[in-house]
Each structure stands twice: as structure tokens, then as C-alpha cells.
Amino acid sequence: MSDPSGNHGASTDGVPDGALHTDGPIGSDGKPTSETELKKAITPKLLLLFIVGDILGTGVYALTGTVAGEVGGAGWLPIILAFAVAMVTALSYVEMVTKYPQAAGAALYVHKAFGIHFLTFMVTFAVLSSGITSAANSAIFLAKNVLVGFKLDEAFDAGSLNTVATVIAIIFIALVACINMYGVSESVKLNVGLTFIELSGLALVILVGFFAIAKGDADFSRVILFETPGDKSLFMAVIGATALAFFSMVGFEDSVNMAEETVDPVKNFPKMLLGGLSITGVVYVLVSITAVAVVPIGELTEADTPLLSVVQHGAPDIPIDVIFPFISIFAVANTVLINMMMASRLLYGMAKQGVLPGFLGGVLKGRRTPIGGILFSTALAFVLVIVLNYALPETIVKSLGGTTALLLLSVFCLVNISVLVLRKDPGAGKHFKTPTVLPVIGAITAFALVTPLAQPAVNYAIAGGLLAVGLVLYVITFVYNSFGRARRTRFHNPDDIGRE
């Protein structure tokens, strides 16, 4: 509750332990909520484009060749398997978001199921970390397309190219931060334009593939060719490739973190979420088949910009390759924009809950955007780009993509289990209910894809480093709350994670 002066005072939350909490964020200045609440601006059509735009992007543009390198020409198989795992989990998300239509997403569902505040925190930080790794990955791939588009890859040696790519990636992430500070409505509208560019680029790849087929320049025998690297068995290769391909499917989960900024989420989320995921699944399979039919597998695997290789091979007499790098730039730019939006809002929500330092809950006056979360998530993305682009110059796109999948698959496993645990709770009203067997399948498959059978050690190292950052922030906040404010560090209202 607030005292007459408008400052937030301590009060009990009504739970049996009688622990002291505050109604406002750490360091709250008591400003009216009209200046600090997030803005509702996402219509059903914008939501569909948001979901499609978030799923499309770096995964298919950058990792088509990498997936083919794991299993050969049958790269469509890991994509179909990853799509199946994603769809099962998406159905669990639909049940949860229609049952609990708040902005918290996975964190809220896990908290309602288990009630362990520290687990809720780690799940939330894992989700936002996945957004940052995805954004950093996309920024690196964007930089490589800039180098190709402006022919800079021919002007520098390998060491200098790496430095230039790092600088370009950092500049772009900073530009995205400025866009996010300007406002959610503007950011989502920009997403619409970038989504159409993404789709046009992939449609161009498919059309070039059909053109090559019509001329007799495509080799469909490669589409059913299984080739595994080294002495890896076919089963292990498919499992590893599926875990990597899952990066291409992630993005649908971001939309639930925008629930409080969406019009009528209970009505709109089911159709938009499942429809968006289905659209992207079909597009990905078509692109995968086209790529391996048109380009020799070895060349596709080694290419930094694999889909550019497809258009160069499929239509060598048409200067499509001149514009395609720029299409790729805009396509992956969308991934950076949406993921950084999501990460900043989760930081904002946790700071408002008092489980992260209060400066992360700052809102830019006038624009009402989470400036503290935007600046901190941008700084983390900078560190990832700089450190990993020098430590892992040859495999950074694969490593960051795999780390994103690792983090989200871990969260998805818990979300599917939470669906089953929460069946005892009828919820606030009528909601979608997925068949019970599907969350069981989703939990088992997600767990299998986060084990060492599917994940290399470097992915665990990157994910662990990011989660360690969250743990340090949590400890700092815990100490401050315990000794400075005489209250426990916990989510005083989990429904409010991600919103005012």
C-alpha cells in the first residue's frame, strides 16, 4: 500500500509466512501508472505477423546449410521433427495463455504449477537469455550479409573481416535498442514490414528452385541422401540436427510475453499462434528441399550465406544474388528486433517484482518503454557478439543457435509438465484444452533434446554463463532486500511479470 505522500510502504501480502513485501518496484518514485504502464497496441493481424516474423529469420536463412551438414540432403527430416516438437509445445502454450492471459508466459505457468520463486526466476531469465542469444546470432549473420552485399568480403583479410563484422553487429543492435525505446507500437509496425521482406526472400528461394527444376538443373536424388559427419550414427546425427533445427522454430513463445499488449488474447491467441507456426513449418520444408536439390550438399554446408548460394545456382543468369543479401539483412533484422523487445520486457517485469535490481524497471517518460531493460539486454548482446565472434569465429552462428534452442527446450519441458500439474486448476473461465498425451510427449522430447545426446558442450557453457549473470543479479537483489528493505526476495504477484 502507499502512504499519503505517495511513497510505497511495506505491507504483508496475506500469505501465512507474513513476510514483508512492497507494492511497488525497488526504487519506485510513486509516479502515476499512466506514465509507467506498457501500451496495448497489438491487433490479431499484427499478432499473426509478429509470430510469423519472429519464427522466420535467422534460423532458416543461416542454418539451412548447417543442418544439411549434419544429415546430408535429408535436412527436411530434422525440420519436420523440430516442427512436431514445437507444435506440441505450442498447444500447451495455447492452453496456458487462454487459461492465464497475462504477460508472464512460461514463468507464470511454472510458478503456478510449482510455487518455487527461485525456479520461476531461473525460468524467466532462461527465456530472456534465449532472446539475447538469438538476437546476437542474428546480428552476426546480418553483418556477414552486409559484407557480402557491399563486396567487403573481397576487400579484407579473414582477421579484419571478423573485426568489421563485429562492429557492424554492435551498431545494428544499438540501432534496434533505439527503435525499442521509441515505442512498442512503432516496433511492431516495423515488424510487419520486415516480415513481408522475410517472406519475399524465402518465396524467392522457392521460386528459383522451381525455375531450376524446370530447366533440369536440380538433383532431387540428394533430397533422400543421408550423410553423417565422421563416425556419427544416423540416429545421433538426426537427434543433433533436430536440436539445431529447433532454433528455426522458436519465436512462437515470445508472443505470450506480449499478452498484456494484445487485444483480447483469450480469443486471438489460439488461431494466431497455431496458424503462424503452421505457415512457417510449410515454408521451411519447401526451402530445405529446394536448397539441397539445387546446391551440392558440401557447398551448401560451407556457405556463410546458404540461401544466397541457392539463388546463385538456381538462376545464374539473373542478378538476384545482387539484391538477396539485402533481403537477408532485413529478414534477420526482424529477429533481432522482436527478441530484444521480449528480453527487455522480461527484465522490466522482474525488476518490478523486486527480484532484480530496481534500475532495470525504469520506464522512459513520454514513450513508456522499458529503458532499463533495453539498455541492460543490449549490453549483454554486445558482450556475446564481441566475445564469441573472436572465441568461435567459425561456428558462432551454429553455437548461438544451438544455445537458444537449449535454453528454450529446457523451458518447454517445464511448461509441458506445468500443463499437466495445473489440470487441477479450472482457471478463470473457459479455455482451450490440449489432449493430455501431447504435453507428456512434449516434455519427453524436449528433455531428450537438451541432453548431451543432442547438445555439444559449448552450448552448455554459453547458456551457463548467461544464467550465471542472472544468478549474480538475483543474489545482489536478495542481499539488498534482506538487509536494506527487510523483506524476502520473491515474486509478490507472478501474474504481473512482464507488465506494470
Side-chain angles (χ1 to χ4, degrees), residues 120-335:
T120 304
F121 172 82
M122 294 307 295
V123 166
T124 311
F125 209 87
V127 172
L128 77 87
S129 295
S130 73
I132 294 171
T133 54
S134 179
N137 192 17
S138 301
I140 289 292
F141 184 68
L142 178 144
K144 291 182 177 180
N145 276 278
V146 169
L147 294 175
V148 172
F150 290 100
K151 308 298 182 184
L152 297 176
D153 55 332
E154 302 170 0
F156 296 97
D157 57 38
S160 299
L161 273 177
N162 202 41
T163 300
V164 174
T166 302
V167 172
I168 293 172
I170 288 174
I171 291 173
F172 180 73
I173 292 172
L175 177 61
V176 166
C178 293
I179 295 171
N180 279 338
M181 285 183 205
Y182 193 71
V184 65
S185 178
E186 291 76 12
S187 297
V188 173
K189 288 175 183 176
L190 177 59
N191 163 66
V192 172
L194 294 177
T195 296
F196 282 118
I197 295 173
E198 282 178 325
L199 286 169
S200 69
L202 296 177
L204 183 59
V205 171
I206 295 170
L207 289 174
V208 166
F210 288 160
F211 181 67
I213 293 167
K215 293 198 316 178
D217 292 338
D219 183 359
F220 275 99
S221 66
R222 292 196 289 259
V223 175
I224 57 173
L225 179 63
F226 285 91
E227 291 180 342
T228 60
D231 59 354
K232 186 179 289 188
S233 69
L234 178 60
F235 175 77
M236 294 297 294
V238 171
I239 291 296
T242 300
L244 184 60
F246 194 82
F247 173 64
S248 300
M249 296 296 167
V250 301
F252 65 87
E253 76 289 342
D254 290 347
S255 60
V256 301
N257 294 308
M258 308 297 287
E260 289 297 324
E261 295 168 88
T262 300
V263 177
D264 197 356
V266 175
K267 177 183 176 182
N268 295 323
F269 260 89
K271 292 183 290 185
M272 299 303 104
L273 184 56
L274 300 181
L277 186 57
S278 299
I279 289 170
T280 54
V282 171
V283 171
Y284 281 176
V285 170
L286 289 175
V287 170
S288 177
I289 292 174
T290 299
V292 296
V294 173
V295 182
I297 295 170
E299 183 178 340
L300 191 67
T301 301
E302 296 173 2
D304 285 336
T305 53
L307 297 191
L308 175 59
S309 297
V310 175
V311 299
Q312 288 174 330
H313 275 264
D317 300 325
I318 303 174
I320 298 175
D321 61 309
V322 176
I323 63 169
F324 195 82
F326 297 99
I327 293 176
S328 299
I329 289 169
F330 285 108
V332 299
N334 203 27
T335 303

